[in-house]
Each structure stands twice: as structure tokens, then as C-alpha cells.
């Protein structure tokens, strides 16, 4: 994505981003000739995409820290890990702005939505002996997906079981 | 009016630049790894992680420098199986130091980052619904970090324990263009083999790497008391599958509860029970894999 100032016929330049507000990030672009500015509000989806790829709009002033994405976005992490300071990395520049290609790329990586287990079904799954549990779980999920059940209830488990002859 | 092409290429957001930098870092790190091997199967719970952990340990016992990466970001199990769960990890000079197993195998897994065994992998996100949608991308970013931000040093083998299914294979190609080969794990049940066949097809199509061979796990039950062998899943035919796909059958690992017990304890099955049928099979499979790479040179 590139922006052109129609008034001056000049390429607009990326100026800054604002902190996300309700999950939406705003990028400000400016015309270097007439200094006209405009704001591009990204929807939460686009904002989340940048986060998932661990890139920052406008580039980084410092290189990414090791395991930065894992450390910063994991909700409940082990507080004892990576407590020392990360050695400071070098800054590298370069790189262009096909925002769109990054979006396309991210689209290709989308997760297919899997069926959701009801608490009752999960509880029953817990009673399956541990060494076959993950196998049973996967088989039932597969069965649910193939038969279009978005939710795995104990009924779905019964049907799946009949199907596998378990 | 100027067109897209007329404008200088840098709109200023520098996203592709950062992605390129991520790729370069990854390539630099993997330059000192001789062979990367992905352990996969279409089916969950067939023993990928157990096979990965034991093969890694045998390679270690054989004197190789070995690393294991748990690519099952969402259901990590390698740290526990390799006996490194709870090891504290910290920054080194050039990344993060991996956990080290009792046999000296270097391990990186999401397990090591979680608070405790009960903590699920949840990503910070506006809503949990978003987190779900973005899970795939988050997981791949995490795997990229595991690969490129771990101080692997120079390795003879880096084994990658993949999550079940084939959803992640396309991403794997991007992360590992120089993958040395894959090992496909199956169990001898007909239903499971159907799924595994699908993933064999996918692996051949998607990955730019040969299938080193198939491992049949839970092949039969060998009684620890009397040594009698019983079939567990009579319906499948792994030999037929191997010849249909023109890949070799690397070995058949019997069902042995001690594999499971060792995994839970974090002790090394292949070290403790070298002379059992399962132990021997892990050794012979490992030798097949070594031969596969050595014959390439
Ligand atoms: N040959 C075997 N004999 C006995 N138990 C085994 C054997 N192989 C694996 N197991 C047990 O089966 C269970 C599943 O194995 P494992 O976790 O290795 O499978 P997986 O394919 O990695 O599963 P997932 O798809 O969940 O990642 C574990 O409890 C493990 O200890
Ligand atoms: S094979 Fe079965 S019957 Fe024979 S000793 Fe072992 S467990 Fe007992
Ligand atoms: Mg596993
Ligand atoms: Zn202007």
C-alpha cells in the first residue's frame, strides 16, 4: 500500500503510529511537500496481524530481542525465565512497504476453526486412559469436523464412538 | 497522477524489511546445523513426541550434537519427556540458552515458557476469539523464534517434533527451506493409516525434502514378564503403505508401558532399557536415519 498526495503529486511518507485504541492501531502519513497529514485506522484484525508477525509499523529503532514475541504475547508465562537483560542488538535498516503483501501472506496462514469441547465432554475425555487419550481426542475432533459438528458434546462422542467401534 | 510504480518503494512501514531480517537471522542460525529432521504424522497421539525424544537421546548416546525443537506450540510435551521441564532458561550472548537434557540434548519448547503444567498456551489479544483466529500466525512466529533465537551452537542433528495434522506444513517450508528430511510416525491401525497416508501425500507435495521413512509405533505388545508378543491393532499394513509411497519402513516399535512411564518421569527410556525390543528398535531406527544422511555425502 502506498499513498499519494493528489495536491502535490508526491508520495506521502509514514510518520508515526499511535498506541492501539480498542484494538485498533492508527498510522499517520504526511506529504513532505505540503505537510498534509492523514490517519489510517487499522481494524483490530490488521492490528493483530502486525502483532502476530512481530513487526512494527515504521520499522524498529532496535533489533527485536530474542524470543520477543513469545515473551511479550504469552498471557501466563513462567516468571523465572529470561530475567536477565538481553544483550543489545544492532540496528538494521531497509525494507519497503507492501502492507498488502503482508496481509495476503497472513491470510494464507489462517487457522481452520476446530470444534469446541463442552465441559461435560471434556470431563468424559479425562476418563479415557491417558495413553490413548490424545488419540481418542484427535479422532473425535476429526469426526466432528467431518460431520459438521462445531461443538463436541457427549452425544457427539457417543456417535463418534459408534462410528469407530470403540 | 503518479502510479503505484512511480512512487518510491518505501511507503515507510518497513514490514517486509523486518520480515526479511527475520529470515536472515533464521538462516544464519541454521547454517551451523548439519541435518534438520521433522517428525510428523497426520494423526494425533501416535507417538511423535515419544519417538522424537528417544531418537534424540540415541543420537546423543551415539556422540552427536543434538537439538530438539518442540513445534507443537499448543500442546508441548517434549520438555517433560526429555526431563528438562522446570529448567530455567536465560539469555546468552547471542540469543536464549536452550534447556539441556541429562544426555546433553539441547531442547527448546513452549513448555519452558509456561508457568506450570496446567497453564494452556494463551496469547494476549483483544478477545479470546481474536486469539483463536490468530493462533496459527502466533504459533508460527513462536516457532521461528525457537529456531532462530536459541543458541543451538553447531549441531549434527536438529529434530523437530511437529504438531499433529498437516495444517502447518506450508509454513514449515517457509521456515525451513533446507529441511533434510521427514520421519512419518504411524500406528498399525487401519483408520490411523488412512490419515497418515493423506499426510504422506501432503508431505511429499508440500515439503522440499525427502521422506526418510516411516516408523510404526505401538506395533505390538511385548509382555515384560514372559516376553510374549500380542498384536494391538491388527487392521493396518505399514509394509504396504511404505511400498505404495516408495519410502522405507525404518522400524516397528512395540508397545511398552515403560516408554510412557519414562516419559512421565522425564527419564530416558532408551538409556535405561537399551536391551528391550523397543530400546533396540530405537537404536536401529536411529542408525537408519544416520545412514540416510551419511549415504548422501
Ligand atoms: N511404543 C509405545 N509404548 C507405550 N506407550 C507409548 C508408546 N509410544 C507412545 N506412547 C505413549 O502414548 C502417548 C502419546 O504419545 P506421544 O505424546 O508421543 O504422541 P504424539 O503423537 O506426540 O501426540 P500428540 O499428537 O498429542 O502430539 C504418551 O502417553 C506416550 O507415553
Ligand atoms: S503375555 Fe499376558 S498373560 Fe503372558 S505373562 Fe504377559 S501379561 Fe501375563
Ligand atoms: Mg506430541
Ligand atoms: Zn502535498
Amino acid at each position: 500500500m502506498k499513498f499519494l498526495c493528489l495536491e502535490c503529486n508526491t508520495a506521502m511518507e509514514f510518520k508515526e503510529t499511535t498506541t492501539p485504541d480498542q484494538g485498533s492501531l492508527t498510522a499517520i502519513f504526511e506529504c513532505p511537500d505540503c505537510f498534509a497529514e492523514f490517519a489510517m485506522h487499522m481494524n483490530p484484525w490488521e492490528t493483530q496481524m502486525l502483532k502476530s508477525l512481530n513487526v512494527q509499523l515504521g520499522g524498529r529503532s532496535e533489533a527485536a530481542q530474542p524470543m520477543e514475541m513469545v515473551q511479550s504475547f504469552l498471557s501466563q508465562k513462567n516468571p523465572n525465565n529470561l530475567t536477565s537483560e538481553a544483550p543489545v542488538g544492532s540496528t538494521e535498516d531497509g525494507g519497503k512497504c507492501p502492507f498488502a503483501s503482508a496481509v495476503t501472506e497472513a491470510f494464507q496462514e489462517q487457522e481452520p476453526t476446530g470444534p469446541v469441547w463442552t465441559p461435560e465432554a471434556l470431563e468424559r475425555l479425562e476418563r479415557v486412559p491417558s495413553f490413548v487419550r490424545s488419540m481418542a481426542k484427535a479422532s473425535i475432533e476429526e469426526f466432528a469436523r467431518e460431520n459438521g459438528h462445531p461443538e463436541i458434546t457427549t452425544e457427539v462422542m457417543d456417535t463418534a464412538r459408534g462410528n469407530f467401534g470403540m | 497522477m503518479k502510479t503505484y510504480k512511480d512512487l518510491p518503494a518505501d511507503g515507510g512501514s518497513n514490514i517486509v524489511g523486518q520480515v526479511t531480517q527475520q529470515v536472515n537471522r533464521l538462516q544464519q542460525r541454521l547454517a551451523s546445523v548439519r541435518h534438520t529432521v521433522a517428525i510428523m504424522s497426520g494423526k494425533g497421539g501416535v507417538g511423535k513426541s515419544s519417538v522424537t525424544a528417544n531418537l534424540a537421546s540415541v543420537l546423543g548416546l551415539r556422540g552427536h550434537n543434538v537439538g530438539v525443537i518442540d513445534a507443537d506450540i499448543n500442546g508441548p510435551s517434549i520438555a517433560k519427556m526429555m526431563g528438562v521441564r522446570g529448567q530455567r532458561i536465560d539469555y546468552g550472548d547471542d540469543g536464549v540458552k536452550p534447556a539441556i537434557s541429562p544426555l546433553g540434548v539441547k531442547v527448546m519448547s513452549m513448555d519452558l515458557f509456561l508457568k506450570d503444567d496446567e497453564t494452556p498456551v494463551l496469547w494476549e489479544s483483544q478477545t479470546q476469539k481474536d486469539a483463536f483466529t490468530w493462533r496459527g500466525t502466533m504459533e508460527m512466529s513462536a516457532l521461528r523464534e525457537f529456531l532462530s533465537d536459541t543458541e543451538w551452537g553447531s549441531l549434527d542433528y536438529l529434530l523437530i517434533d511437529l504438531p499433529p495434522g498437516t495444517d502447518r506444513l506450508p509454513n514449515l517450508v517457509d521456515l525451513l527451506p533446507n529441511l533434510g528430511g521427514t520421519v512419518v510416525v504411524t500406528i498399525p491401525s487401519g483408520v490411523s493409516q488412512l490419515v497418515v497416508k493423506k499426510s504422506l501425500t501432503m508431505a511429499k507435495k508440500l515439503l522440499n525434502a525427502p521422506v526418510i521413512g516411516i516408523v510404526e509405533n505401538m506395533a505390538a505388545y511385548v509382555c515384560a514378564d514372559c516376553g510374549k508378543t500380542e498384536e494391538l491393532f491388527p487392521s493396518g499394513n505399514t509394509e504396504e503403505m511404505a511400498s505404495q509411497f516408495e519410502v522405507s519402513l525404518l522400524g516397528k516399535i512395540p508397545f511398552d508401558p515403560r516408554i510412557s512411564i519414562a516419559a512421565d518421569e522425564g527419564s530416558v527410556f532408551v538409556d535405561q532399557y537399551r536391551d528391550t525390543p523397543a530400546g533396540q528398535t530405537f537404536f536401529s531406527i536411529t542408525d537408519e536415519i544416520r545412514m540416510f544422511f551419511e549415504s548422501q555425502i
Side-chain angles (χ1 to χ4, degrees), chain B residues 221 223-228 230:
Chain B
Y221 175 68
C223 176
D225 283 338
C226 69
K228 205 173 111 187
E230 301 270 357

Side-chain angles (χ1 to χ4, degrees), chain B residues 235-255:
Chain B
S235 60
N237 187 338
T238 311
E239 281 85 355
E240 197 181 275
M241 178 162 83
S243 70
Q244 184 191 337
F245 283 86
E246 296 175 343
V247 294
S248 53
L249 177 54
L250 298 173
K252 295 182 168 198
I253 303 161
F255 182 89

Side-chain angles (χ1 to χ4, degrees), chain A residues 2 6 9 48 52-53 56 58-59 67 69-70 73 75 78 80-84 87 94 111 134 139, chain B residues 1-2 4 12-14 18 22 43 88-92 112-113 122 124-125 134 138 141 145 149 168:
Chain A
K2 295 173 186 174
L6 285 174
N9 205 22
Q48 181 70 35
S52 319
L53 289 170
Q56 286 168 15
M67 309 282 177
M69 187 287 211
V70 169
F73 299 129
S75 291
N78 183 341
N80 298 324
N81 277 335
L82 303 180
T83 43
S84 70
E111 167 93 13
S134 60
S139 308
Chain B
M1 184 173 54
K2 283 185 181 163
Y4 182 85
S13 75
N14 189 23
Q18 288 173 66
Q22 291 175 348
K43 188 113 181 123
R88 222 179 72 89
I89 49 173
D90 228 322
Y91 294 109
L112 298 165
F113 288 89
L122 290 177
E124 273 179 12
S125 193
W134 285 98
M138 289 295 216
S141 285
E145 287 189 345
D149 293 351
R168 295 284 173 266

Side-chain angles (χ1 to χ4, degrees), chain B residues 35-61:
Chain B
H35 310 299
T36 40
V37 181
I39 321 297
M40 57 171 284
S41 84
K43 188 113 181 123
V46 299
K48 285 175 299 301
S49 304
S50 311
V51 168
T52 308
N54 283 290
L55 294 185
S57 297
V58 177
L59 284 166
L61 286 168

Side-chain angles (χ1 to χ4, degrees), chain A residues 5-10 12 31-36:
Chain A
C5 175
L6 285 174
E7 201 67 40
C8 318
N9 205 22
T10 304
M12 310 248 338
C31 168
D33 291 339
C34 70
F35 302 109

Side-chain angles (χ1 to χ4, degrees), chain B residues 147-182:
Chain B
L147 283 161
S148 58
D149 293 351
T150 306
E151 289 187 341
W152 296 111
S154 55
L155 292 180
D156 298 313
Y157 290 93
L158 178 59
L159 305 190
I160 304 165
D161 179 22
L162 292 183
T166 49
D167 304 351
R168 295 284 173 266
L169 291 183
N171 308 97
L172 196 70
V173 194
D174 295 340
L175 288 176
L176 291 168
N178 298 322
L179 184 67
T182 54

Side-chain angles (χ1 to χ4, degrees), chain A residues 51-107:
Chain A
K51 201 159 127 178
S52 319
L53 289 170
N54 198 32
V55 291
Q56 286 168 15
L57 210 53
R60 293 166 168 280
S61 50
E62 274 167 32
Q65 292 205 341
M67 309 282 177
E68 181 178 275
M69 187 287 211
V70 169
Q71 275 296 98
S72 38
F73 299 129
L74 196 60
S75 291
Q76 290 201 298
K77 46 192 168 272
N78 183 341
N80 298 324
N81 277 335
L82 303 180
T83 43
S84 70
E85 288 278 301
V88 186
S90 63
T91 310
E92 245 177 81
D93 247 327
K96 316 296 150 200
C97 167
F99 186 67
S101 78
V103 174
T104 320
E105 201 176 295
F107 253 121

